[in-house]
Amino acid sequence: MTRETELLLLSAMYENGGNTVHRILDGHPELFVYPYESQLGTRLVNDALSSVFPAKYRWPVFALEADATQDYRAIIDEECKVRARTPHVSKFRDHAFDFSDDERLARYLDLVRGRPRSGGGNIGAFFQATFEAWRDFRRTGKEHVYVGYSPIVIVDAMRTMAEMPQARMLHVVRNPWSAYADTKKRPVPMALDAYMLAWMLNQHHAMLARQRYPDRVFVVRLEDVLPQPVAALTPLLQALGVAAEALPGRPSWNRQPLEQVYPWGTIRTATLAANRATAAELSADEQAAVRLAAGPYLELLGYGAYLDT
């Protein structure tokens, strides 16, 4: 690595639009946008939040005694590794991806060799190696910021900011009614109480992180991104030092437009109308339960009257 890695890490509670915003950023000519969720966590993550959120979505912890190969292999990165090693079982198998995980490991080892070992350095090398090993990535030659998306990683914002001085975070929030309604469509959905506890923890950590790092942590509502993606993301893009007007403003994969975000995320049609209709799928009792559980965050995030519009 010749310089500190510029990293933008997206976060969002499940079904809050993180994949949608990730795919919208994909088309920017100055961004290296990770192909799937960048599940950076390791099995060594173990703290008070470990019973709430999966290790794969957390900021990684590396073993003190590990070598560089062990560091690389500790990063869970499930979606990318499955697509690379067993493409026939990947939900992304219908989208071309010329990539070797073994080649990425070789490039990673080259990048970390001779440099002080650190968590931030490992993650920087991981992102750089990914794009060096991705053979059919549609380059513009202008890319200089890496973009990853790890759901709920905002809960580790303080560690991320400390370990990667060049990193910024964008937390995406969606009204909890639509979010919970989409979560119910999973094969094994979370119970409402469990989902809302995790949703609130995300917003709590996002508010704290933005207060502590106002120039590095950004919070955006999906409801603001959908109608005007460029306007909603301009403050972030300006902070990254990239041209806001160069953002195409529609979801894409490897810079090729997507008709729907699925299978990257549950949201198939990324429009305000579809978002509102999703909230209406909940029963009156479920809507009331979500409102009660969300508490003060509805007003703080501008959702107090969402169901009335």
Side-chain angles (χ1 to χ4, degrees):
M1 291 179 292
T2 58
R3 57 184 175 84
E4 286 287 343
T5 304
E6 295 180 80
L7 175 66
L8 169 64
L9 192 57
L10 275 63
S11 172
M13 178 53 186
Y14 317 137
E15 320 310 343
N16 267 229
N19 276 299
T20 297
V21 176
H22 192 209
R23 291 297 102 215
I24 288 173
L25 290 171
D26 174 80
H28 198 289
E30 296 177 71
L31 302 178
F32 287 107
V33 176
Y34 200 79
Y36 315 112
E37 289 181 357
S38 47
Q39 299 161 344
L40 303 174
T42 68
R43 304 298 180 190
L44 292 178
V45 176
N46 184 21
D47 59 13
L49 294 175
S50 296
S51 64
V52 183
F53 301 116
K56 65 183 178 181
Y57 294 145
R58 302 290 303 278
W59 186 251
V61 174
F62 295 97
L64 291 176
E65 73 280 7
D67 61 26
T69 299
Q70 291 169 327
D71 282 343
Y72 175 85
R73 290 180 173 158
I75 299 171
I76 294 172
D77 190 38
E78 182 178 24
E79 288 190 345
C80 188
K81 290 179 180 178
V82 167
R83 178 62 181 83
R85 294 188 174 277
T86 55
H88 59 288
V89 300
S90 170
K91 63 184 179 180
F92 306 107
R93 59 185 174 273
D94 295 329
H95 298 266
F97 185 53
D98 188 0
F99 175 89
S100 164
D101 191 40
D102 291 331
E103 183 179 340
R104 179 171 62 171
L105 169 59
R107 294 299 304 124
Y108 174 90
L109 294 176
D110 287 342
L111 289 165
V112 299
R113 186 175 293 113
R115 294 180 61 88
R117 181 170 176 258
S118 70
N122 287 350
I123 293 304
F126 176 82
F127 275 97
Q128 291 186 47
T130 296
F131 287 88
E132 292 183 18
W134 184 357
R135 301 186 190 97
D136 57 353
F137 174 61
R138 293 182 171 90
R139 299 176 179 273
T140 66
K142 301 177 182 179
E143 299 93 347
H144 61 96
V145 179
Y146 294 86
V147 180
Y149 167 48
S150 292
I152 67 85
V153 76
I154 194 68
V155 303
D156 292 320
M158 302 307 179
R159 287 184 53 224
T160 305
M161 297 295 99
E163 293 188 21
M164 289 197 77
Q166 292 294 102
R168 289 181 172 84
M169 297 186 77
L170 173 67
H171 179 66
V172 183
V173 60
R174 183 188 189 191
N175 82 82
W177 296 284
S178 298
Y180 177 64
D182 268 343
T183 299
K184 287 182 64 181
K185 298 168 187 174
R186 292 185 174 205
V188 184
M190 295 175 68
L192 190 150
D193 288 346
Y195 181 82
M196 289 308 301
L197 171 62
W199 186 89
M200 289 187 294
L201 284 170
N202 270 254
Q203 315 326 325
H204 171 73
H205 283 277
M207 298 300 105
L208 288 179
R210 184 173 63 175
Q211 184 176 17
R212 182 165 181 180
Y213 298 100
D215 298 327
R216 298 176 64 192
V217 176
F218 297 79
V219 178
V220 67
R221 303 190 325 163
L222 182 65
E223 290 77 11
D224 297 323
V225 174
L226 293 180
Q228 295 184 305
V230 176
L233 296 171
T234 287
L236 168 73
L237 297 173
Q238 289 178 338
L240 293 173
V242 303
E245 64 275 11
L247 183 69
R250 43 98 178 107
S252 64
W253 149 253
N254 197 9
R255 310 197 194 283
Q256 299 300 296
L258 290 171
E259 293 299 321
Q260 59 181 21
V261 177
Y262 183 84
W264 276 264
T266 304
I267 298 174
R268 290 178 179 265
T269 306
T271 66
L272 282 181
N275 189 46
R276 183 65 183 80
T278 301
E281 294 172 2
L282 298 181
S283 69
D285 286 346
E286 288 174 318
Q287 290 179 355
V290 168
R291 181 181 294 278
L292 180 64
Y297 291 104
L298 291 179
E299 296 298 332
L300 283 172
L301 295 166
Y303 292 127
Y306 184 77
L307 292 182
D308 303 326
T309 57

